[in-house]
């Protein structure tokens, strides 16, 4: 993973297959079907990378031949996709972390103020002791992610990692400023935001492209 001195909380995942798949998602001609399929594949690779420093516990196990040491994940994991677009990342994570519980937080951006508006939230028990992966393909102004992290913390969550496909510097700054305990993982740090708060070059509106509502 790549880190940059000006964004100490940001971890950029660097892998040729991730670059290839992100390019497919960026293309405007990519259909909804292909977008969903590639998003699933790409998210699995991101989950694999993000899981690389999970803690393990050891226990004795028996192979058909003899005893040896086995390993289990130490921490309970909760995935929290930010509705809607984050839903497109949940299955990729669940494929690699099938024991994870899933919480939901529903936020949309008021398109004039760009402020997040919450419309739904439901979290599993044991938020306090679990490691939370907050999922959203896009980190633009950072308003949605920062509000979602605040919700999770209000409900008792203490260990949160944010996982994005594309992040804008503005969003990284905001989340880092408001939640300096939260590591941000992204497949790419994009150039910035346009006057409508869209990420450039970005990939358009991920929620619309996942669900065909554009
Ligand atoms: C998009 C995206 C993030 C948010 C990013 O959601 O999925 O949740 O905007 O913007 P921000 O960093 O400026 O808050 P959108 O509001 O389009 O809702 P959707 O997921 O329902 O499409």
């Amino acid at each position: 993973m790549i880190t940059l001195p000006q964004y100490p909380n940001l971890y950029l995942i660097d892998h040729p297959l991730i670059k290839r798949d992100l390019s497919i998602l960026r293309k405007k001609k990519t259909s909804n079907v292909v977008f969903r399929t590639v998003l699933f594949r790409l998210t699995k690779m991101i989950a694999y990378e993000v899981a690389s420093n999970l803690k393990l516990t050891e226990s004795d196990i028996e192979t058909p031949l003899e005893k040896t040491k086995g390993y289990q994940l130490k921490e309970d994991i909760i995935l929290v996709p930010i509705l809607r677009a984050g839903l497109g990342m949940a299955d990729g994570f669940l494929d690699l972390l099938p024991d994870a519980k899933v919480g939901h937080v529903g936020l949309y951006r008021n398109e004039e103020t760009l402020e997040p508006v919450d419309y739904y939230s439901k979290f599993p028990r044991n938020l306090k002791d679990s490691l939370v992966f907050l999922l959203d393909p896009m980190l633009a102004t950072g308003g949605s992610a920062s509000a979602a992290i605040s919700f999770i913390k209000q409900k008792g969550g203490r260990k949160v990692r944010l996982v994005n496909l594309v992040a804008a510097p503005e969003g990284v700054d905001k989340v880092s400023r408001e939640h300096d305990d939260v590591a941000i993982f992204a497949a790419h740090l994009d150039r910035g935001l346009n006057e409508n708060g869209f990420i450039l070059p970005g990939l358009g509106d991920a929620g619309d492209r996942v669900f065909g509502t554009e």
Side-chain angles (χ1 to χ4, degrees):
M1 269 187 239
I2 297 173
T3 53
L4 304 167
Q6 64 273 45
Y7 302 111
N9 292 358
L10 176 68
Y11 297 87
L12 294 171
I13 302 161
D14 189 33
H15 194 290
L17 299 182
I18 289 179
K19 285 192 164 68
R20 175 204 60 194
D21 278 356
L22 184 56
S23 304
I24 296 171
L25 296 187
R26 286 191 192 279
K27 285 184 194 170
K28 69 174 177 190
K29 290 199 168 156
T30 297
S31 68
N32 302 134
V33 176
V34 173
F35 193 92
R36 268 198 301 273
T37 309
V38 173
L39 178 58
F40 174 69
R41 183 171 71 203
L42 171 55
T43 306
K44 247 162 83 161
M45 293 189 273
I46 290 176
Y48 180 80
E49 294 283 338
V50 168
S52 65
N53 60 2
L54 291 181
K55 297 187 186 108
L56 296 171
T57 55
E58 272 184 17
S59 63
D60 294 330
I61 59 170
E62 265 183 75
T63 77
L65 299 172
E66 62 177 21
K67 288 191 173 166
T68 186
K69 275 196 193 345
Y71 301 92
Q72 300 81 36
L73 294 183
K74 185 172 181 191
E75 293 176 291
D76 290 337
I77 293 173
I78 294 179
L79 309 175
V80 180
I82 300 181
L83 307 179
R84 293 174 304 166
L87 285 175
M89 298 176 73
D91 283 346
F93 267 77
L94 278 172
D95 227 45
L96 297 197
L97 299 166
D99 295 323
K101 304 262 192 309
V102 183
H104 293 88
V105 49
L107 295 167
Y108 67 88
R109 286 198 306 180
N110 178 309
E111 294 200 348
E112 275 156 25
T113 64
L114 299 182
E115 287 297 315
V117 181
D118 62 290
Y119 58 91
Y120 182 78
S121 77
K122 177 91 179 168
F123 296 105
R125 286 181 196 179
N126 203 23
L127 200 53
K128 186 162 73 73
D129 299 315
S130 300
L131 176 60
V132 176
F133 288 116
L134 179 63
L135 311 177
D136 196 325
M138 301 192 297
L139 180 64
T141 64
S144 306
S146 188
I149 296 166
S150 298
F151 280 161
I152 291 166
K153 288 181 175 174
Q154 274 164 28
K155 301 270 175 190
R158 295 181 301 178
K159 290 172 283 182
V160 183
R161 295 178 189 174
L162 174 63
V163 186
N164 305 116
L165 298 189
V166 287
E170 294 87 335
V172 176
D173 277 336
K174 182 174 173 75
V175 172
S176 304
R177 214 172 38 245
E178 296 180 2
H179 301 284
D180 65 358
D181 56 318
V182 172
I184 305 167
F185 296 87
H188 199 264
L189 179 67
D190 276 18
R191 192 171 79 245
L193 300 178
N194 70 8
E195 63 283 3
N196 299 319
F198 269 82
I199 301 171
L200 296 173
L203 39 76
D205 186 318
D208 283 340
R209 299 191 71 187
V210 168
F211 295 110
T213 49
E214 67 267 64

